[in-house]
């Protein structure tokens, strides 16, 4: 069973909402990444998103753009990212790792070859930002061949017909982009979240993760009341950028994620409520 | 009267419904942009079928842009080249000084028809930014132009023109600080403000429907030229020559001639300091197939798939990708793509200026340079039609700097 499916199955039984931090591989430095991933799990992360640096991150905001630029300057390309995942797997056999990135570096490597190498390294899914369902057939087939999931984005503006098309190809979970904009741009409006998540659930039988614009424990807790998983990206990456040493980066991850985890867990009554509602 | 725009809608054969030209094109964008692209495509098809919209577009092209632009037989330049006659399509005579306004007039009218009050654009040389700011001023639209800080330095005059026209020019400091980075930033703005904002993309690149839509708005160039050739010369040209950065002026000229199989087509890319190294912007001549800015096309990247910084003396050609339809014309063999170096383009700039009294944009000087080369290889019975896509006023500072002159 794919680790993503196993993890969500387990979380559902526990009634625990998933915390999914995103970090850019190689940022603030290549030697920090594996330590940061382990630290994130210790601080309460259930799944991990690892960004593959790209030179032209059209769908990301200034924080992740800067992180990618610095990671590239330090030579973090696909080989390095996969080596990081493989190293992470030596000590953690269960936490799912999802690669996030853009199409061109993958096509340059060759889609089938990259998917094979990623599977061997211990990757569980990929979210390729500039590869919507319309263009995803080749990548999806290659991923399915290795029992890896392709994670898709759904936006507030996604139409019903697009939702249907996405549902046909999506696996693992679906990532709801909670705001209009790029990563790290604005602040989430948690009130509009519940109906949006319900709209997705009506179309597909997959856990719904919510991301973009979540910065505080309160926002994470409010998001966890409506969705199955909470993605934290730019706010964490921004803090990592201020760290000069690996131990600082590890401490920063703990200090930032632990209160978020706690706030999400204190939600337990409302989470039960949600389950009652949807039952 | 300009050629009627009702012929503007493509014949439906290319691209396909998903925006593909063979394996090229498509919509490689974040899901957050997909509905906006679908809305744009629907509006484009709807309004171009509306006679009122088309009449307004025709009228603007005639009275505001100044179409049709003439053909000009460059006799002195032809003598210098020795061989075929060189005829120039004078897009430099358009309002704002380049072909870019053909597209912005169309897109700004479309924005208005869609009820979007704010228009944004990316610009390299500044010509597209000026053309967008110009139509926005006329239509009373709020206008924001993204421009790389390196291009702002190279094209200070155009930056000031945009500001005079009421546009806000936002400097982009990321990456190579040129056109590609301005395009990334404009896309980010669009995805954030999609409800009230129309993205006026300036070339035949980007996600569908932009490559087809920008081509169709610029195809007035080729339709006019084809008619003028038949009327004034009684024949079609032997070859078309146009510079290619993203490729909008070339596609506008080429498109109406695609079925005229005897007419050769030559797209001229910026070979910069030579195709041997990486200091050029020749994605079709020296690149490979990949995905950039929403479409699959030829591009310049390194072995890790990271997009390379490019170089050209001309800001408007300094772009690591190219419109997907050009990629398709290249692979199908219908068009040839060649490179002209900075040095060759500069020489052509001076030739045309001194021999004909026409100062070309540095972008267009690439086409002039190759046009002369090609003419010298052909016979006196041949005609080479060169698209003089823009005028050189904006480049005076760059030229002066190269010659060591300070004002």
């Amino acid at each position: 069973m794919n680790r993503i499916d196993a993890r969500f199955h387990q979380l559902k039984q526990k009634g625990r909402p998933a915390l999914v931090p995103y970090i850019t591989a190689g940022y603030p430095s290549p030697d920090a990444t594996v330590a940061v991933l382990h630290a994130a799990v210790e601080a309460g992360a259930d799944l991990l998103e690892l960004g593959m640096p790209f030179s032209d991150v059209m769908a990301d905001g200034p924080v992740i753009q800067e992180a990618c630029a610095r990671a590239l300057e330090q030579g973090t390309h696909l080989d390095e990212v996969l080596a990081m995942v493989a190293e992470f797997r030596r000590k953690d056999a269960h936490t799912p790792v999802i690669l996030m990135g853009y199409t061109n570096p993958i096509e340059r490597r060759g889609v089938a070859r990259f998917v094979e190498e990623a599977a061997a390294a211990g990757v569980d899914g990929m979210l390729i930002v500039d590869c919507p369902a319309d263009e995803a057939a080749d990548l999806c087939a290659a991923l399915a061949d290795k029992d890896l999931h392709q994670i898709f984005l759904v936006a507030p503006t996604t139409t019903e017909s697009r939702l249907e098309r996405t549902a046909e190809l999506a696996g693992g979970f679906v990532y709801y982009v909670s705001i209009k904009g790029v990563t790290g741009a604005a602040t989430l409006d948690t009130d509009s979240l519940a109906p949006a998540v319900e709209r997705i659930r009506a179309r597909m039988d997959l856990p719904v993760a919510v991301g973009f614009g979540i910065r505080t424990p309160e926002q994470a807790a409010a998001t966890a009341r409506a969705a199955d998983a909470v993605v934290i990206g730019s706010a964490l990456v921004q803090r990592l950028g201020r760290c000069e040493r690996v131990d600082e980066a590890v401490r920063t991850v703990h200090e930032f994620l632990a209160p978020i985890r706690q706030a999400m867990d204190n939600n337990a009554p409302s989470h039960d409520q949600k389950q009652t509602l949807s039952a | 009267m300009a050629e009627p725009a009702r012929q503007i809608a493509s014949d439906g054969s290319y691209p396909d419904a998903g925006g593909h030209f063979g394996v090229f094109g498509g919509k490689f964008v974040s899901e957050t942009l997909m509905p906006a692209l679908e809305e744009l495509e629907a509006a484009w098809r709807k309004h171009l079928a509306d006679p009122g919209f088309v009449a307004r577009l025709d009228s603007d092209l005639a009275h505001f842009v100044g179409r049709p632009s003439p053909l000009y037989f460059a006799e002195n330049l032809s003598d210098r080249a020795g061989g075929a006659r060189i005829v120039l399509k004078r897009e430099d005579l358009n309002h704002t000084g380049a072909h870019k306004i053909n597209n912005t007039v169309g897109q700004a009218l479309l924005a208005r028809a869609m009820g979007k009050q704010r228009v944004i654009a990316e610009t390299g040389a500044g010509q597209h930014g000026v053309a967008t700011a110009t139509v926005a001023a006329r239509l009373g639209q709020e206008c924001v132009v993204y421009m790389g800080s390196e291009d702002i330095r190279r094209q200070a005059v155009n930056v000031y023109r945009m500001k005079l026209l009421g546009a806000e020019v936002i400097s982009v400091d990321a990456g190579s600080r040129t056109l590609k980075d301005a395009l990334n930033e404009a896309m980010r703005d669009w995805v954030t403000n999609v409800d009230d904002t129309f993205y006026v993309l300036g070339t035949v690149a980007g996600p569908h429907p932009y490559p087809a839509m920008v081509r169709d708005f610029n195809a007035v160039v080729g339709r006019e030229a084809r008619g003028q050739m038949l009327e004034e010369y009684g024949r079609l040209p032997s070859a078309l020559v146009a510079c290619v950065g993203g490729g909008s002026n070339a596609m506008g000229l080429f498109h109406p001639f695609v079925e005229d199989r005897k007419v050769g087509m030559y797209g001229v890319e910026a070979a910069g300091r030579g195709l041997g190294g990486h200091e050029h912007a020749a994605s079709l001549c020296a690149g490979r197939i990949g995905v950039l800015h929403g479409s699959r096309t030829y591009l310049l990247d390194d072995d890790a798939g990271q997009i390379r910084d490019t170089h050209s003396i001309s800001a408007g050609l300094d772009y690591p990708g190219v419109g997907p339809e050009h990629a398709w014309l290249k692979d199908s063999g219908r068009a040839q793509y060649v490179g002209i170096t900075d040095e060759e383009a500069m020489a052509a700039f001076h030739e045309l200026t001194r021999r004909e009294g026409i100062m070309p944009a540095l972008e267009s000087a690439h086409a002039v340079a190759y046009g002369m080369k090609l003419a010298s290889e052909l016979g006196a019975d041949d005609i080479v039609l060169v698209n003089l896509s823009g005028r050189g006023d904006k480049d005076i500072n760059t030229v002066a700097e190269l010659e060591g002159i300070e004002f």
Side-chain angles (χ1 to χ4, degrees):
Chain A
M1 190 186 219
N2 182 294
R3 286 186 200 94
I4 300 171
D5 299 329
R7 179 52 54 96
F8 273 108
H9 180 72
Q10 192 183 26
L11 290 169
K12 195 175 178 184
Q13 289 183 325
K14 284 193 213 161
R16 168 172 153 127
L19 173 60
V20 190
Y22 163 94
I23 66 158
T24 301
Y27 183 76
S29 63
D31 59 343
T33 301
V34 175
V36 163
L37 292 175
H38 286 304
V41 174
E42 280 163 29
D46 302 294
L47 294 87
L48 297 165
E49 284 186 358
L50 188 60
M52 300 182 281
F54 180 51
S55 54
D56 290 76
V57 290
M58 214 165 68
D60 285 294
V63 170
I64 288 171
Q65 183 180 27
E66 168 67 18
C68 284
R70 274 181 54 188
L72 288 174
E73 279 165 22
Q74 299 175 79
T76 312
H77 300 288
L78 298 188
D79 283 333
E80 288 73 20
V81 176
L82 294 183
M84 289 168 187
V85 176
E87 196 188 329
F88 172 78
R89 276 280 167 257
R90 274 192 235 143
K91 286 189 196 160
D92 189 326
H94 301 293
T95 308
V97 174
I98 294 112
L99 295 180
M100 278 188 84
Y102 289 78
T103 305
N104 198 61
I106 298 174
E107 292 211 345
R108 187 58 62 234
R109 173 63 55 96
V111 171
R113 183 178 152 200
F114 179 65
V115 168
E116 198 175 320
E117 290 170 348
V123 169
D124 306 290
M126 291 187 199
L127 198 173
I128 305 307
V129 185
D130 60 350
C131 188
D134 314 56
E135 305 288 356
D138 289 354
L139 182 57
C140 258
L143 288 168
D145 197 42
K146 295 282 162 194
D147 191 29
L148 265 57
H149 288 311
Q150 185 163 7
I151 315 299
F152 286 97
L153 296 173
V154 169
T157 46
T158 300
T159 56
E160 292 296 317
S161 64
R162 294 199 54 75
L163 212 48
E164 219 163 281
R165 213 178 312 168
T166 303
E168 287 165 16
L169 298 176
F173 63 96
V174 64
Y175 186 142
Y176 178 67
V177 177
S178 48
I179 52 163
K180 283 178 193 164
V182 292
T183 51
T187 297
L188 167 75
D189 167 20
T190 44
D191 291 343
S192 60
L193 213 51
V197 170
E198 287 313 315
R199 184 170 81 102
I200 296 168
R201 285 189 177 136
R203 287 281 178 189
M204 52 189 109
D205 191 23
L206 286 176
V208 179
V210 174
F212 282 40
I214 302 169
R215 301 156 197 278
T216 66
E218 295 72 32
Q219 288 167 341
T223 304
R225 279 195 287 275
D228 303 294
V230 178
V231 184
I232 308 263
S234 297
L236 174 59
V237 173
Q238 191 162 29
R239 281 166 178 80
L240 285 172
R242 299 185 203 121
C243 304
E244 289 185 1
R245 296 191 318 270
V246 175
D247 61 328
E248 275 178 76
V250 165
R251 197 170 61 233
T252 298
V253 169
H254 270 285
E255 285 172 3
F256 182 63
L257 290 182
I260 289 174
R261 176 78 258 172
Q262 203 176 2
M264 287 167 62
D265 290 344
N266 290 343
N267 262 340
S270 352
H271 190 71
D272 287 347
Q273 223 169 40
K274 179 192 77 187
Q275 287 189 327
T276 318
L277 279 175
S278 57
Chain B
M1 191 63 196
E3 281 287 304
R6 80 183 61 84
Q7 296 168 16
I8 213 165
S10 77
D11 58 8
S13 53
Y14 290 97
D16 70 11
H20 303 99
F21 301 88
V23 302
F24 302 104
K27 288 191 224 182
F28 289 88
V29 296
S30 165
E31 176 61 31
T32 47
L33 268 181
M34 291 299 283
L37 293 172
E38 288 181 352
E39 182 195 9
L40 174 61
E41 184 177 359
W44 168 51
R45 296 200 185 285
K46 177 184 148 198
H47 292 293
L48 283 170
D50 167 15
F53 183 91
V54 170
R56 174 64 196 263
L57 179 55
D58 285 346
S59 168
D60 278 7
L61 288 174
H63 302 288
F64 187 63
V65 176
R67 305 209 68 89
S69 68
L71 289 189
Y72 170 77
F73 171 38
E75 194 170 3
N76 301 330
L77 197 72
S78 304
D79 287 347
R80 167 76 175 149
R85 282 181 285 175
I86 299 172
V87 173
L88 305 178
K89 175 64 171 165
R90 298 291 307 275
E91 290 299 294
D92 61 314
L93 294 178
N94 290 339
H95 182 37
T96 71
H99 72 288
K100 292 286 186 187
I101 196 148
N102 303 319
N103 171 46
T104 60
V105 161
Q107 288 200 43
L109 284 176
L110 195 51
R112 196 178 64 166
M114 291 171 75
K116 312 248 181 193
Q117 257 310 306
R118 180 173 178 269
V119 297
I120 59 170
E122 84 297 336
T123 198
Q127 291 303 99
H128 174 60
V130 167
T132 304
T134 297
V135 292
R138 174 150 175 274
L139 296 180
Q141 292 159 332
E142 183 190 344
C143 179
V144 174
V145 179
Y146 291 92
M147 190 166 182
S149 53
E150 170 63 15
D151 289 338
I152 286 181
R153 189 190 67 75
R154 288 193 280 193
Q155 303 289 347
V157 175
N158 268 346
V159 174
Y160 187 53
R161 286 168 81 191
M162 287 184 264
K163 287 181 179 166
L164 287 174
L165 288 159
E168 183 188 353
V169 179
I170 298 183
S171 173
V172 178
D173 258 327
S176 57
R177 305 183 171 99
T178 58
L179 181 57
K180 86 173 169 76
D181 309 289
L183 209 153
N184 287 333
E185 211 55 43
M187 281 282 180
R188 291 186 182 115
D189 180 316
W190 196 32
V191 70
T192 308
N193 302 297
V194 65
D195 288 336
D196 70 341
T197 297
F198 187 104
Y199 179 18
V200 182
L201 209 156
T203 190
V204 290
H208 180 66
Y210 283 106
M213 183 172 73
V214 176
R215 171 197 73 196
D216 286 353
F217 282 135
N218 263 311
V220 65
V221 176
R223 282 197 307 275
E224 271 179 18
R226 198 174 179 285
Q228 288 164 323
M229 281 300 306
L230 292 172
E231 194 178 310
E232 297 169 26
Y233 296 83
R235 51 166 292 184
L236 293 179
S238 316
L240 308 173
V241 178
C243 64
V244 176
S248 67
N249 92 79
M251 194 51 66
L253 178 65
F254 291 178
H255 189 61
F257 288 92
V258 166
E259 298 305 321
D260 299 313
R261 299 286 157 170
K262 286 186 177 162
V263 178
M265 294 178 172
Y266 297 87
V268 186
E269 295 194 301
R273 299 195 175 103
L275 294 180
H278 293 300
E279 289 180 292
H280 60 76
S283 35
L284 290 163
C285 293
R288 46 194 175 184
I289 297 169
V291 172
L292 176 66
H293 289 151
S295 61
R296 179 171 281 123
T297 187
Y298 279 88
L299 50 79
L300 297 167
D301 65 355
D302 63 20
D303 288 337
Q306 309 296 345
I307 307 304
R308 278 190 194 282
D309 287 352
T310 50
H311 164 80
S312 169
I313 194 176
S314 106
L317 302 183
D318 203 352
Y319 178 64
V322 66
E325 192 168 359
H326 282 296
W328 180 69
L329 287 179
K330 172 191 158 83
D331 275 17
S332 67
R334 179 63 188 92
Q336 318 297 315
Y337 293 88
V338 297
I340 284 289
T341 63
D342 288 349
E343 209 173 306
E344 292 170 314
M346 278 309 301
F349 172 90
H350 288 298
E351 287 285 356
L352 189 65
T353 303
R354 294 297 296 273
R355 289 180 192 276
E356 299 286 355
I358 297 172
M359 202 177 287
L362 290 178
E363 291 78 13
S364 319
H366 287 72
V368 173
Y370 189 74
M372 291 177 70
K373 250 189 206 181
L374 185 62
S376 73
E377 290 160 11
L378 298 175
D381 293 341
D382 288 306
I383 296 177
V384 173
L385 177 59
V386 174
N387 200 12
L388 197 68
S389 56
R391 71 173 83 119
D393 306 40
K394 71 182 172 61
D395 294 314
I396 298 301
N397 286 334
T398 306
V399 174
E401 205 175 293
L402 282 168
E403 320 240 299
I405 294 161
E406 274 182 54
F407 294 115

